[in-house]
């Protein structure tokens, strides 16, 4: 009995299992990677805004971004937390810089001054 074709069949079977695992992993990891990119860009934009505030107003104490959260389903809310409250006259600057940072990501489109869209989800920035 000739078994020359058995190695090819086993190879195809192993490759198909690996392909199934890769597809399953990418369907889970893809959206999470997108969320991580959004959160990192929001944090970076807010950090740049508070650094600009401290640079232009020398009497202001430095402010740090302490946490960034994303909540909701298709209409998501990005909330940026700081170690001290942001003065009301600087809130718009922080939101604008955060939105600008989000627009630097690939595929992000503006909706309005506080909201962007990526795929089928919208992200609204609040501080």
């Amino acid at each position: 009995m000739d078994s020359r074709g058995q190695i090819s069949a086993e190879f195809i079977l192993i490759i198909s299992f690996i392909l199934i695992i890769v597809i399953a992993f990418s369907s889970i990891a893809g959206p999470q990677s997108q969320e991580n990119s959004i959160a990192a860009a929001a944090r970076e934009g807010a950090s740049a805004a508070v650094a600009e505030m401290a640079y232009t107003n020398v009497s202001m104490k430095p402010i740090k971004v302490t946490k960034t959260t994303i909540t909701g389903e298709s209409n998501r809310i990005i909330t940026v937390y700081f170690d001290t409250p942001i003065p009301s006259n600087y809130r718009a600057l922080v939101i604008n810089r955060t939105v600008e940072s989000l627009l630097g990501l690939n595929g992000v489109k503006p909706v309005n001054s506080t909201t962007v869209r990526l795929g089928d989800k919208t992200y609204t920035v609040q501080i």
Side-chain angles (χ1 to χ4, degrees):
M1 192 158 144
D2 192 10
S3 62
R4 286 184 287 181
Q6 184 174 353
I7 292 177
S8 297
E10 290 172 351
F11 180 74
I12 290 172
L13 186 63
I14 290 172
I15 293 297
S16 65
F17 282 134
I18 291 172
L19 186 60
I20 289 170
I21 291 170
V22 167
I23 289 172
F25 179 73
S26 66
S27 68
I28 295 169
Q32 186 61 45
S33 175
Q34 177 179 321
E35 289 289 312
N36 290 343
S37 297
I38 291 283
R43 185 179 185 99
E44 181 181 323
S47 294
V50 294
E52 182 179 333
M53 288 170 21
Y55 181 73
T56 58
N57 185 354
V58 293
S59 65
M60 180 179 284
K61 292 183 180 179
I63 300 172
K64 289 190 316 185
V65 176
T66 56
K67 183 170 73 167
T68 305
T69 61
I70 300 176
T71 57
E73 290 302 318
S74 63
N75 294 325
R76 315 233 346 129
I77 297 174
I78 302 169
T79 307
V80 183
Y81 297 94
F82 301 92
D83 62 347
T84 58
I86 300 293
S88 60
N89 57 332
Y90 287 109
R91 293 177 79 79
L93 171 74
V94 173
I95 290 173
N96 287 341
R97 292 290 188 269
T98 304
V99 169
E100 286 175 10
S101 181
L102 290 170
L103 290 173
L105 293 175
N106 193 17
V108 176
K109 306 283 188 237
V111 174
N112 59 37
S113 63
T114 61
T115 306
V116 296
R117 176 176 288 283
L118 179 59
D120 61 340
K121 295 181 180 176
T122 58
Y123 295 89
T124 302
V125 178
Q126 69 181 32
I127 57 173

